[in-house]
Structures are given as C-alpha cells and as structure tokens.
Amino acid sequence: MSDFSERYSRQIMLPDFGEERQRRLCDASVLIVGAGGLGTAAATYITGAGVGHIGIADPDVVSLSNLQRQTLYSEKQIGRSKTECAHERLREMSSVSRFTLHPESVSEENARELVRGYDLVIDCTDNFPARYVIDDACAAEGKPWVHGAIGEYHGQVTVFNYRMQRRYVELYPDRDALCSLPRVTGGVIGVVPGVVGVLQASEAIKILTGIGEPLESRLFTIDLMTMNITFVEY
C-alpha cells in the first residue's frame, strides 16, 4: 500500500468518496483567517483530511488565556506568534501538506490579494468588520467561504459565495451598525469553538470534494447547554 493510500485509507474506503475525491483535497488550497479556537480546530481537521496547501492568517501571539480552547498551543509557546506555533504542530501531523503563514490581520488593503491565492476561505475571526471584509474579498475573487461564530455556549456555521452566491451582507445587512459596535471580550466554554471549528472543516471538505449538501442559504446554530440545533434559511 502506498503512503497516500495508507494515510487516507479511512476516507478513501467510503463508497461516495474514494481516491478521486481524496486527490481533490490534496490538490486544494484553504486560507484560515484567525488561528484562535475556531481556527485551530478547523486547521487540525483539514490538515488531517489531506488539504494540500493551507494558509493561516493571524497577527496575534499565544497567551495563557488561549489554552482553555485553542488546542494547537502549549504553555511553552506563550508569547510566540500563533501562526508559527500552529505551523509547528500541523507540520508534525502532516509532512505532505504545504503551509503558508500570514502573520497579519486581514484588512480592506490586503484581503483580495490573500484570498486570491486559495480555493476556499474559512472565517475564524471574532469581529464584524473582518467578516464583512472577507465577504467583499471572496465575492470579488469568486471564492466560497465558510463562516463560523461562537459565544458562551452557542455557535453557528454557514457557507457563503458558493453555488447560490449568497453573501454575508444579505444575512447581516446592518453593516455600519454592526461594525460600529465596541469589541467586547466575552466568555465561552472551551468545547464550543472545537465543535464549530470542526463543522467548518466539514463544510470545507464537502465543498472541495463535491460531496453532500453544504450549508449555503442555511444558518446552522447549536446550543451546547441544551443540545438544541436549528437551521435558519435566508
């Protein structure tokens, strides 16, 4: 058995997946914007799944308060760049994936150039201005993106700019009002970003391989306190 067949054997054996779709993943590229709780979970699983080129964009450094939910990092990495620390762990998981680090915020000035180099974007940011910037850049460059957001015990996931060309601004049209809100650090139980980030990775895999029904025009929400799940069509 080749290294390829052995590494991805549990996916390749799926009757609706197979070697062809695995090769699509290996040929694909994904940009993860934000290397926090959502981003570390999403990055872990798209790396394991075999995405060939992964970009990670985040200007921050690891802090002690991150470790409760950002599972790629360790205490000895506190104070170091998140992109570098994430890369160290991910390359240990997979020597066959290529990583590009972008230790910077995604802004109106650089978003289109960043997005242009990837097939798909996973939004793991924590603020409205960044999400609207990603929305604009992906629409301009024709790239699908997977949105995730969390708070306290809740999370949500959806897909934008895919086959139906739906936009974030359609779901949240009050751009000026939302972008003017003060940024507040809220609480979150550590498993919430893990659950949502893994779901984002799942949506990315579905889009890149053409399997299943991605969450376009449907907002998935989950409350981990009650395990209530809802779908909101938009």
Side-chain angles (χ1 to χ4, degrees), residues 41-223:
T44 298
Y45 280 91
I46 66 167
T47 299
V51 172
H53 178 203
I54 299 167
I56 307 171
D58 195 307
D60 293 338
V61 298
V62 178
S63 68
L64 182 60
S65 64
N66 296 153
L67 303 184
Q68 163 249 13
R69 64 199 177 282
Q70 299 179 21
T71 55
L72 282 181
Y73 310 129
S74 66
E75 291 180 357
K76 66 181 180 181
Q77 293 173 323
I78 290 172
R80 294 182 53 203
S81 163
K82 284 187 177 180
T83 56
E84 292 181 2
C85 295
H87 180 224
E88 288 177 1
R89 179 68 184 97
L90 295 170
R91 72 185 179 190
E92 290 178 349
M93 292 174 54
S94 176
S95 61
V96 297
S97 293
R98 178 167 63 93
F99 299 93
T100 301
L101 308 185
H102 306 281
E104 57 190 309
S105 298
V106 173
S107 64
E108 292 181 357
E109 291 72 30
N110 67 7
R112 287 191 62 175
E113 182 178 357
L114 285 174
V115 165
R116 189 176 298 139
Y118 297 89
D119 298 320
L120 177 143
V121 176
I122 301 180
D123 160 41
C124 300
T125 61
D126 62 358
N127 64 90
F128 287 107
R131 294 166 188 156
Y132 284 108
V133 166
I134 293 169
D135 189 43
D136 290 341
C138 287
E141 297 296 328
K143 308 290 185 178
W145 63 287
V146 182
H147 163 67
I150 58 169
E152 297 184 349
Y153 303 96
H154 311 92
Q156 63 182 44
V157 182
T158 192
V159 170
F160 295 111
N161 206 48
Y162 188 41
R163 293 171 300 197
M164 297 180 183
Q165 301 293 298
R166 302 306 299 270
R167 297 276 307 273
Y168 182 81
V169 73
E170 295 178 57
L171 183 59
Y172 295 102
D174 300 326
R175 180 170 188 158
D176 291 341
L178 291 173
C179 288
S180 65
L181 293 174
R183 293 189 62 176
V184 178
T185 299
V188 64
I189 191 168
V191 295
V192 173
V195 170
V196 174
V198 168
L199 290 173
Q200 289 181 276
S202 176
E203 291 301 296
I205 291 167
K206 286 155 62 176
I207 293 169
L208 294 170
T209 60
I211 64 171
E213 298 181 9
L215 285 167
E216 53 181 342
S217 295
R218 293 182 297 153
L219 179 69
F220 169 95
T221 71
I222 184 169
D223 180 341

